[in-house]
Amino acid sequence: MTKKPTSKNKNYAKIVNSGSGAIAAHGSVAAGASGIAVGGNVKGNIVMGGVNISGSNISVRGDMVGRDKIYQPSNAIKTYEEDLSLSRSSKDQTGEIKALTNLGNAHYILGDLHRAVEFHEQALSIARNIGNKDSENIALGNLGLAYSLIDPHRAIELYTQRLMVSHKLENKMAERDALESLGLAYIRLGDARKAADFFEEALKISRGNGDRLREGSALGNLGGTYVELGKLDQAIDLYNQSLSIARETGDRLGESQRLSNLGSTYAKLGEIRKAIEQFEQALAIAQEVGDRLGESTYINHLASAYLLLNDIKKAVELYKEGLTIARDVGDFLSVSNHSFSLGLIFIDQGRWYDALHLFEECLEIRRKDDDLNVRADAIYQIAYVHHLLRNLEKARTYYWDAKRLYEKTDNPKGIAACNLSLGRLMIRMGFVDDAIQELTVAGEIYRRLDDQSRINTTDEMMRLAKGIKEKQLA
Amino acid sequence: MSRKSDQVWDELELTYSRWGLNEIPFSESVTTFSEAQLREVFTGREDQLRQVLNLFRGRERKRVLIYGGVGIGKTALMLEVLSVLKRKLQDTLTAYISLPANTDLATAAIVALARELKDDEWAQHQLNLMGLHPQTRPVEKSAMAKAGLGGTGIETEEKTVPVNKPEIPALSFEDLLNRALQKYARVVIAIDDLDKQDPARARELLRDAQGMLKGRAWFILTGHPSGLTRDILTRDLGLFDLALELTQLDQKTTNEMLINYLNSARPEHSRRLLDDPLAVRPFTPETARMLCERSEGIPRWLNRLGSYVLIKASELHTDTITPEILQAGFEYADQQLRGQTGLTPEDYYVLDLVLEKGVLSEAQISLADLDRVKAKEFNEILPILDKLVDLDLIRRLPSERAMEYEPSPLILRKLSDADDQPSE
Ligand SMILES: Nc1ncnc2c1ncn2[C@@H]1O[C@H](COP(=O)(O)OP(=O)(O)OP(=O)(O)O)[C@@H](O)[C@H]1O
Ligand SMILES: [Mg+2]
């Protein structure tokens, strides 16, 4: 359900930049390829979570216990609404809380986070009114989850409250859930160190009461934070531990996800063949247990891995296969991710119109999503293809749109990519002053990010712009 | 009851006869004119006519692009050219079509050409295959403007989309063209409204049609001066032998156009010469000038405003359009434009935003602004902006730095708005 805002996809860009002349000359290609990242799930009223690590096309997939048990939320909403009015008319406040919670969760699953927040807020305030601590506790967790993408700081506040309530109630399970949620929230904010602390605490609790299943997921989450911290060997160790727990407890889904996480980590270490092995195992399990969602995700990972091996043909094949499955099962998240990845390859192959159509499909889906960052990624790519097609005006409009969304999500890499591209575009369109303005901002951001290769590109463009300007003045 | 209605009719009749007019001559769309009517009202653009017609002195086939803003007179010029060719060159076949949505250029060209080859059974068969029936050309449609007092709302040009497109349109077109060229020395295909929808899509269409465009037919295309034509001019110059930009008419020509329109509705014997002060009746020379100024040399605006002002004046049973009456007419135009059918709440939100901002720019608009119109991207509101432009509620500024829109001068901004609008 949740996706971690991702930034520039380094692995892919490498390939793209080594591609055809026109693209190589363009320099920066992707403002951000969104890695697949699935995590955070609702199981009953208990909040669960997974870690999403991305930054490469191959990402670590969170533990999603009970993902297969997702019911059909749109159908369920009707029933819950009836429950709600029934409990309201009979003044049954506990029932009301339950209905509100269910409604909130259903909307969360459907991706309507603002509606989810509304319902959970209501549940929270009733729980507090009638002094039901347990319900308050649950509502805090759900509300935090709903906020996690909209406003991570608010989510942390709520989780912290939950942690304190649970502690007071001596509800160890809830305490551990709160700790895990906090860990996830800090991951999302990019503070892996802090996240690791919370996960360690959660792990202790799980070990304390012999909950092997949750111990496994905590280990997995911890592994994810270590990836984030760049401690890849330790991460592999942790993933292996959680993998054997999954095998021991017969948790097939968990097993496949951890294999996939292992694969992603190997990919980060540059051990692509080994990564492929893991993904293939994960894929086999997904196919065996009929986990179509997992199937399309792992195929996507495999495709990205083959891309890293420069086996474009195999990658395209896999992406197409993944796209078909994802469209088939109505897994829009994966459709958008597959089409995005395939679009990048098509750009590289000079199949610009094909790429454009895929990115447009991708954007169509992402427009329905609350995650503005991945939406901006799609918009940026559309702009870029138009730029290549020399639909300059179109490109300009899309760059502006992407920039506004990146600004909203505080994504400096995205913003700078837009500034740089707009600079390049404005030079072409003959608006040198505007170009200089854009390039100045891009340069500042890249210097702050210490991104040497982009600094060079920006400086080069700047020299070009200033050269033109001097000629104009002379 | 019916007596009363008759009375109303007679009163109107009287007003119009005092003005010396049979009807309201204005129309928002050229396609409602017959060829003869167009010839009567067509004004100016001599330079452009000369350039295009000159090409036809030669034998070598050419491609012409006519481009300019909304309502500037692209279709009118195109049809005028075709009508001259038809009259003067017996050996030339002309075909006109307004590009239907979701149709490639070759298919459009087939439809246009097949409709002209009325005696050619094979051509008619092609039309049938596409689910289209042989029709007369839009230009020859009976003039809807004759409906007289109506005049409100937009007349959308009829656009038929072929149901079954030929599999390889370019080849079918070749066949059809060859048949036509057995009878005619020259075939001119005029495809109007090339980028009515999306400039990028139009580029794709042009790219796909390169082969056909470089073939044996003459082509005249029209488009808007957006990214499309810009890029064509700078890059694909080879595709067009002549690219004509239509710009606003000067005041003198606009005034002349007004007189031509009015004369076209006068009985033969009472037509006035241009320098006759009574030529602008029921306008006075002063209000005629004011009307022309307000139209800013854009023919469609003159048509719209002229029509609304006459309707208002006839309601008021006035003999002469004084500045006050003119003002009332402008207000009526404002009301009518805002109240046009087919405007959704979203359209109004966007219109409001433009009215409030004064100038709405893709570079300046904020997410908060977009939020108000339930969008997160400027791109999402572009179709609405296009629609509002088409309805003459807003207009696009000529800037190439960014897409910028402002309220059209046909809309009177509320005083309170005008006050707190910093003029840019
Ligand atoms: N040169 C002209 N003389 C007289 N009337 C004209 C002339 N040019 C345009 N008009 C009138 O102005 C109105 C708008 O013109 P036209 O439809 O040709 O504009 P356009 O540029 O094709 O608009 P669009 O962009 O909507 O296709 C029509 O009623 C037309 O008859
Ligand atoms: Mg037209």
mmCIF file with all atom_site columns, all heavy atoms in Angstrom, chain A residues 435-448:
data_model
loop_
_atom_site.group_PDB
_atom_site.id
_atom_site.type_symbol
_atom_site.label_atom_id
_atom_site.label_alt_id
_atom_site.label_comp_id
_atom_site.label_asym_id
_atom_site.label_entity_id
_atom_site.label_seq_id
_atom_site.pdbx_PDB_ins_code
_atom_site.Cartn_x
_atom_site.Cartn_y
_atom_site.Cartn_z
_atom_site.occupancy
_atom_site.B_iso_or_equiv
_atom_site.pdbx_formal_charge
_atom_site.auth_seq_id
_atom_site.auth_comp_id
_atom_site.auth_asym_id
_atom_site.auth_atom_id
_atom_site.pdbx_PDB_model_num
ATOM 1   N N   . ALA A 1 435 ? 16.646 30.394 -18.526 1.00 0.00 ? 435 ALA A N   1
ATOM 2   C CA  . ALA A 1 435 ? 17.513 29.226 -18.429 1.00 0.00 ? 435 ALA A CA  1
ATOM 3   C C   . ALA A 1 435 ? 18.533 29.428 -17.314 1.00 0.00 ? 435 ALA A C   1
ATOM 4   O O   . ALA A 1 435 ? 18.732 28.554 -16.464 1.00 0.00 ? 435 ALA A O   1
ATOM 5   C CB  . ALA A 1 435 ? 18.210 28.982 -19.755 1.00 0.00 ? 435 ALA A CB  1
ATOM 6   N N   . ILE A 1 436 ? 19.146 30.597 -17.307 1.00 0.00 ? 436 ILE A N   1
ATOM 7   C CA  . ILE A 1 436 ? 20.171 30.861 -16.296 1.00 0.00 ? 436 ILE A CA  1
ATOM 8   C C   . ILE A 1 436 ? 19.579 30.769 -14.889 1.00 0.00 ? 436 ILE A C   1
ATOM 9   O O   . ILE A 1 436 ? 20.166 30.191 -13.974 1.00 0.00 ? 436 ILE A O   1
ATOM 10  C CB  . ILE A 1 436 ? 20.817 32.237 -16.537 1.00 0.00 ? 436 ILE A CB  1
ATOM 11  C CG1 . ILE A 1 436 ? 21.665 32.170 -17.819 1.00 0.00 ? 436 ILE A CG1 1
ATOM 12  C CG2 . ILE A 1 436 ? 21.668 32.673 -15.350 1.00 0.00 ? 436 ILE A CG2 1
ATOM 13  C CD1 . ILE A 1 436 ? 22.291 33.466 -18.238 1.00 0.00 ? 436 ILE A CD1 1
ATOM 14  N N   . GLN A 1 437 ? 18.377 31.297 -14.771 1.00 0.00 ? 437 GLN A N   1
ATOM 15  C CA  . GLN A 1 437 ? 17.714 31.245 -13.468 1.00 0.00 ? 437 GLN A CA  1
ATOM 16  C C   . GLN A 1 437 ? 17.493 29.795 -13.019 1.00 0.00 ? 437 GLN A C   1
ATOM 17  O O   . GLN A 1 437 ? 17.795 29.425 -11.884 1.00 0.00 ? 437 GLN A O   1
ATOM 18  C CB  . GLN A 1 437 ? 16.374 31.954 -13.597 1.00 0.00 ? 437 GLN A CB  1
ATOM 19  C CG  . GLN A 1 437 ? 15.807 32.445 -12.297 1.00 0.00 ? 437 GLN A CG  1
ATOM 20  C CD  . GLN A 1 437 ? 14.481 33.169 -12.551 1.00 0.00 ? 437 GLN A CD  1
ATOM 21  O OE1 . GLN A 1 437 ? 14.323 33.857 -13.570 1.00 0.00 ? 437 GLN A OE1 1
ATOM 22  N NE2 . GLN A 1 437 ? 13.534 32.985 -11.665 1.00 0.00 ? 437 GLN A NE2 1
ATOM 23  N N   . GLU A 1 438 ? 16.987 28.989 -13.916 1.00 0.00 ? 438 GLU A N   1
ATOM 24  C CA  . GLU A 1 438 ? 16.733 27.581 -13.572 1.00 0.00 ? 438 GLU A CA  1
ATOM 25  C C   . GLU A 1 438 ? 18.035 26.857 -13.237 1.00 0.00 ? 438 GLU A C   1
ATOM 26  O O   . GLU A 1 438 ? 18.105 26.101 -12.276 1.00 0.00 ? 438 GLU A O   1
ATOM 27  C CB  . GLU A 1 438 ? 16.050 26.852 -14.739 1.00 0.00 ? 438 GLU A CB  1
ATOM 28  C CG  . GLU A 1 438 ? 14.673 27.380 -15.121 1.00 0.00 ? 438 GLU A CG  1
ATOM 29  C CD  . GLU A 1 438 ? 13.654 27.226 -13.999 1.00 0.00 ? 438 GLU A CD  1
ATOM 30  O OE1 . GLU A 1 438 ? 13.799 26.304 -13.181 1.00 0.00 ? 438 GLU A OE1 1
ATOM 31  O OE2 . GLU A 1 438 ? 12.721 28.051 -13.935 1.00 0.00 ? 438 GLU A OE2 1
ATOM 32  N N   . LEU A 1 439 ? 19.050 27.090 -14.072 1.00 0.00 ? 439 LEU A N   1
ATOM 33  C CA  . LEU A 1 439 ? 20.315 26.380 -13.875 1.00 0.00 ? 439 LEU A CA  1
ATOM 34  C C   . LEU A 1 439 ? 20.979 26.789 -12.566 1.00 0.00 ? 439 LEU A C   1
ATOM 35  O O   . LEU A 1 439 ? 21.636 25.976 -11.910 1.00 0.00 ? 439 LEU A O   1
ATOM 36  C CB  . LEU A 1 439 ? 21.246 26.643 -15.064 1.00 0.00 ? 439 LEU A CB  1
ATOM 37  C CG  . LEU A 1 439 ? 20.757 26.038 -16.381 1.00 0.00 ? 439 LEU A CG  1
ATOM 38  C CD1 . LEU A 1 439 ? 21.609 26.529 -17.557 1.00 0.00 ? 439 LEU A CD1 1
ATOM 39  C CD2 . LEU A 1 439 ? 20.769 24.515 -16.320 1.00 0.00 ? 439 LEU A CD2 1
ATOM 40  N N   . THR A 1 440 ? 20.800 28.063 -12.188 1.00 0.00 ? 440 THR A N   1
ATOM 41  C CA  . THR A 1 440 ? 21.372 28.513 -10.924 1.00 0.00 ? 440 THR A CA  1
ATOM 42  C C   . THR A 1 440 ? 20.788 27.695 -9.771  1.00 0.00 ? 440 THR A C   1
ATOM 43  O O   . THR A 1 440 ? 21.527 27.188 -8.917  1.00 0.00 ? 440 THR A O   1
ATOM 44  C CB  . THR A 1 440 ? 21.065 30.008 -10.693 1.00 0.00 ? 440 THR A CB  1
ATOM 45  O OG1 . THR A 1 440 ? 21.465 30.726 -11.860 1.00 0.00 ? 440 THR A OG1 1
ATOM 46  C CG2 . THR A 1 440 ? 21.802 30.533 -9.490  1.00 0.00 ? 440 THR A CG2 1
ATOM 47  N N   . VAL A 1 441 ? 19.478 27.561 -9.778  1.00 0.00 ? 441 VAL A N   1
ATOM 48  C CA  . VAL A 1 441 ? 18.837 26.790 -8.703  1.00 0.00 ? 441 VAL A CA  1
ATOM 49  C C   . VAL A 1 441 ? 19.311 25.345 -8.736  1.00 0.00 ? 441 VAL A C   1
ATOM 50  O O   . VAL A 1 441 ? 19.663 24.762 -7.700  1.00 0.00 ? 441 VAL A O   1
ATOM 51  C CB  . VAL A 1 441 ? 17.298 26.843 -8.830  1.00 0.00 ? 441 VAL A CB  1
ATOM 52  C CG1 . VAL A 1 441 ? 16.657 26.066 -7.697  1.00 0.00 ? 441 VAL A CG1 1
ATOM 53  C CG2 . VAL A 1 441 ? 16.810 28.277 -8.831  1.00 0.00 ? 441 VAL A CG2 1
ATOM 54  N N   . ALA A 1 442 ? 19.333 24.758 -9.931  1.00 0.00 ? 442 ALA A N   1
ATOM 55  C CA  . ALA A 1 442 ? 19.776 23.366 -10.057 1.00 0.00 ? 442 ALA A CA  1
ATOM 56  C C   . ALA A 1 442 ? 21.177 23.213 -9.487  1.00 0.00 ? 442 ALA A C   1
ATOM 57  O O   . ALA A 1 442 ? 21.449 22.296 -8.698  1.00 0.00 ? 442 ALA A O   1
ATOM 58  C CB  . ALA A 1 442 ? 19.739 22.933 -11.516 1.00 0.00 ? 442 ALA A CB  1
ATOM 59  N N   . GLY A 1 443 ? 22.062 24.129 -9.858  1.00 0.00 ? 443 GLY A N   1
ATOM 60  C CA  . GLY A 1 443 ? 23.443 24.069 -9.393  1.00 0.00 ? 443 GLY A CA  1
ATOM 61  C C   . GLY A 1 443 ? 23.517 24.111 -7.872  1.00 0.00 ? 443 GLY A C   1
ATOM 62  O O   . GLY A 1 443 ? 24.236 23.325 -7.243  1.00 0.00 ? 443 GLY A O   1
ATOM 63  N N   . GLU A 1 444 ? 22.739 25.029 -7.281  1.00 0.00 ? 444 GLU A N   1
ATOM 64  C CA  . GLU A 1 444 ? 22.755 25.142 -5.821  1.00 0.00 ? 444 GLU A CA  1
ATOM 65  C C   . GLU A 1 444 ? 22.344 23.825 -5.165  1.00 0.00 ? 444 GLU A C   1
ATOM 66  O O   . GLU A 1 444 ? 22.986 23.359 -4.219  1.00 0.00 ? 444 GLU A O   1
ATOM 67  C CB  . GLU A 1 444 ? 21.798 26.251 -5.371  1.00 0.00 ? 444 GLU A CB  1
ATOM 68  C CG  . GLU A 1 444 ? 22.400 27.644 -5.479  1.00 0.00 ? 444 GLU A CG  1
ATOM 69  C CD  . GLU A 1 444 ? 21.324 28.726 -5.427  1.00 0.00 ? 444 GLU A CD  1
ATOM 70  O OE1 . GLU A 1 444 ? 20.172 28.414 -5.042  1.00 0.00 ? 444 GLU A OE1 1
ATOM 71  O OE2 . GLU A 1 444 ? 21.655 29.882 -5.770  1.00 0.00 ? 444 GLU A OE2 1
ATOM 72  N N   . ILE A 1 445 ? 21.276 23.253 -5.673  1.00 0.00 ? 445 ILE A N   1
ATOM 73  C CA  . ILE A 1 445 ? 20.794 22.017 -5.046  1.00 0.00 ? 445 ILE A CA  1
ATOM 74  C C   . ILE A 1 445 ? 21.813 20.893 -5.222  1.00 0.00 ? 445 ILE A C   1
ATOM 75  O O   . ILE A 1 445 ? 22.134 20.181 -4.276  1.00 0.00 ? 445 ILE A O   1
ATOM 76  C CB  . ILE A 1 445 ? 19.435 21.588 -5.633  1.00 0.00 ? 445 ILE A CB  1
ATOM 77  C CG1 . ILE A 1 445 ? 18.401 22.678 -5.365  1.00 0.00 ? 445 ILE A CG1 1
ATOM 78  C CG2 . ILE A 1 445 ? 18.975 20.269 -5.019  1.00 0.00 ? 445 ILE A CG2 1
ATOM 79  C CD1 . ILE A 1 445 ? 17.035 22.401 -5.971  1.00 0.00 ? 445 ILE A CD1 1
ATOM 80  N N   . TYR A 1 446 ? 22.333 20.752 -6.426  1.00 0.00 ? 446 TYR A N   1
ATOM 81  C CA  . TYR A 1 446 ? 23.281 19.664 -6.649  1.00 0.00 ? 446 TYR A CA  1
ATOM 82  C C   . TYR A 1 446 ? 24.530 19.834 -5.800  1.00 0.00 ? 446 TYR A C   1
ATOM 83  O O   . TYR A 1 446 ? 25.123 18.864 -5.351  1.00 0.00 ? 446 TYR A O   1
ATOM 84  C CB  . TYR A 1 446 ? 23.641 19.548 -8.139  1.00 0.00 ? 446 TYR A CB  1
ATOM 85  C CG  . TYR A 1 446 ? 22.537 18.918 -8.966  1.00 0.00 ? 446 TYR A CG  1
ATOM 86  C CD1 . TYR A 1 446 ? 22.168 19.441 -10.199 1.00 0.00 ? 446 TYR A CD1 1
ATOM 87  C CD2 . TYR A 1 446 ? 21.861 17.788 -8.498  1.00 0.00 ? 446 TYR A CD2 1
ATOM 88  C CE1 . TYR A 1 446 ? 21.152 18.867 -10.954 1.00 0.00 ? 446 TYR A CE1 1
ATOM 89  C CE2 . TYR A 1 446 ? 20.841 17.212 -9.237  1.00 0.00 ? 446 TYR A CE2 1
ATOM 90  C CZ  . TYR A 1 446 ? 20.490 17.752 -10.457 1.00 0.00 ? 446 TYR A CZ  1
ATOM 91  O OH  . TYR A 1 446 ? 19.490 17.177 -11.188 1.00 0.00 ? 446 TYR A OH  1
ATOM 92  N N   . ARG A 1 447 ? 24.933 21.089 -5.591  1.00 0.00 ? 447 ARG A N   1
ATOM 93  C CA  . ARG A 1 447 ? 26.091 21.292 -4.724  1.00 0.00 ? 447 ARG A CA  1
ATOM 94  C C   . ARG A 1 447 ? 25.766 20.851 -3.304  1.00 0.00 ? 447 ARG A C   1
ATOM 95  O O   . ARG A 1 447 ? 26.577 20.233 -2.621  1.00 0.00 ? 447 ARG A O   1
ATOM 96  C CB  . ARG A 1 447 ? 26.534 22.752 -4.747  1.00 0.00 ? 447 ARG A CB  1
ATOM 97  C CG  . ARG A 1 447 ? 27.603 23.007 -5.817  1.00 0.00 ? 447 ARG A CG  1
ATOM 98  C CD  . ARG A 1 447 ? 27.967 24.468 -5.961  1.00 0.00 ? 447 ARG A CD  1
ATOM 99  N NE  . ARG A 1 447 ? 27.549 24.980 -7.261  1.00 0.00 ? 447 ARG A NE  1
ATOM 100 C CZ  . ARG A 1 447 ? 28.182 24.721 -8.418  1.00 0.00 ? 447 ARG A CZ  1
ATOM 101 N NH1 . ARG A 1 447 ? 29.266 23.976 -8.426  1.00 0.00 ? 447 ARG A NH1 1
ATOM 102 N NH2 . ARG A 1 447 ? 27.731 25.203 -9.543  1.00 0.00 ? 447 ARG A NH2 1
ATOM 103 N N   . ARG A 1 448 ? 24.546 21.176 -2.899  1.00 0.00 ? 448 ARG A N   1
ATOM 104 C CA  . ARG A 1 448 ? 24.144 20.772 -1.548  1.00 0.00 ? 448 ARG A CA  1
ATOM 105 C C   . ARG A 1 448 ? 24.118 19.249 -1.445  1.00 0.00 ? 448 ARG A C   1
ATOM 106 O O   . ARG A 1 448 ? 24.475 18.668 -0.436  1.00 0.00 ? 448 ARG A O   1
ATOM 107 C CB  . ARG A 1 448 ? 22.760 21.349 -1.219  1.00 0.00 ? 448 ARG A CB  1
ATOM 108 C CG  . ARG A 1 448 ? 22.663 21.768 0.223   1.00 0.00 ? 448 ARG A CG  1
ATOM 109 C CD  . ARG A 1 448 ? 21.340 22.459 0.565   1.00 0.00 ? 448 ARG A CD  1
ATOM 110 N NE  . ARG A 1 448 ? 20.815 23.358 -0.431  1.00 0.00 ? 448 ARG A NE  1
ATOM 111 C CZ  . ARG A 1 448 ? 19.561 23.280 -0.911  1.00 0.00 ? 448 ARG A CZ  1
ATOM 112 N NH1 . ARG A 1 448 ? 18.740 22.332 -0.482  1.00 0.00 ? 448 ARG A NH1 1
ATOM 113 N NH2 . ARG A 1 448 ? 19.129 24.150 -1.790  1.00 0.00 ? 448 ARG A NH2 1
#
